[in-house]
Amino acid sequence: MPFIHLIVFSNFFVSLCVAALTYRTFLYFNFPPSNALLVLVFSATYFIYNFQRLVRMNQKDIDEANIGFRMRWVYKNKQPIIFTIVIAAIILVVSLFYLNIKTILALAIMGFFSVVYVVRFIPYNNKWLALRDIPFLKIFVIAFVWTLVTGLLPLISKDVNQINLLHILFLSKQFLFVVAITIPFDIRDMKYDVEKGIKTFPLVVGVKNTLVLGMLLLLGFVAISSYEFLVFQSITMGLWIAEIIAILLVMVLLLLSKKQQPELFYSFIIEGTSLLLAITVLLG
């Protein structure tokens, strides 16, 4: 279990998930994967997620009795984490030299959204807000950035100058999937969001209605995948079936999230569905 805590709480696992979804995009469109981009996506995700965690930690006084197990782990391992994100930053910078300028510019824009997601820069009612503090925006900002990084960035790196309908359908699936798997985290964070005054879907419309929204998003994924297979015939039957099976499993996990679960349920199992979705291109 300590090993699982290490790879999950250090954000190594989520970085692997984002890199895997990026790898999925290359294979989905029959592009040879860019090792430089995959390394960059992994290191950038590791850097950004740990940066966000440390910023949030510094924005409040730490009382070990009143913070979750994950935050206590991060607090106790703060110095090693700082060391590893410096290493990640160095790897990130080195990998930039192997990418074209369009990819670097696109990455800079995505990095900006990742930073302002947690850094408070918006003045409102004599206080400062980050993007995650704006009502209902949190899960959509996450999904937007994940979709750009894992879906659009690989296309840009391969000099795809014109985004066609097939690209849009794929990016739409990616966005719907990420929004859906982010919903359980909003349910998990309800207590924290109440204390911070952050309005999220579970707090405003209720957990049940939020789960219905998640199901509709996943059904939207299935509808697009079916359209790709039955109408455009742009994906194989194997990939179509694999995607549907993966989405059905995500639906089951989404229903299980209506009750509070252990931290690893969210940060390991729910986030791990990204690896499952990435594997579908290998089965197809």
Side-chain angles (χ1 to χ4, degrees), residues 5-43:
H5 291 159
L6 174 64
I7 65 170
V8 173
F9 295 166
S10 68
N11 290 310
F12 179 93
F13 185 68
V14 68
S15 303
L16 181 64
C17 290
V18 177
L21 284 180
T22 307
Y23 182 75
R24 161 183 159 86
T25 302
F26 285 119
L27 297 190
Y28 198 93
F29 292 106
N30 297 312
F31 290 137
S34 167
N35 292 329
L37 183 62
L38 292 174
V39 169
L40 184 143
V41 167
F42 178 89
S43 57

Side-chain angles (χ1 to χ4, degrees), residues 15 35 44 89 92 127 130 141 149 155 158 180 209 224 239 241-242 284:
S15 303
N35 292 329
L92 190 162
K127 60 181 180 179
V141 172
V149 170
L155 298 179
K158 292 300 178 179
N209 290 331
I224 294 173
L239 176 55
I241 293 174

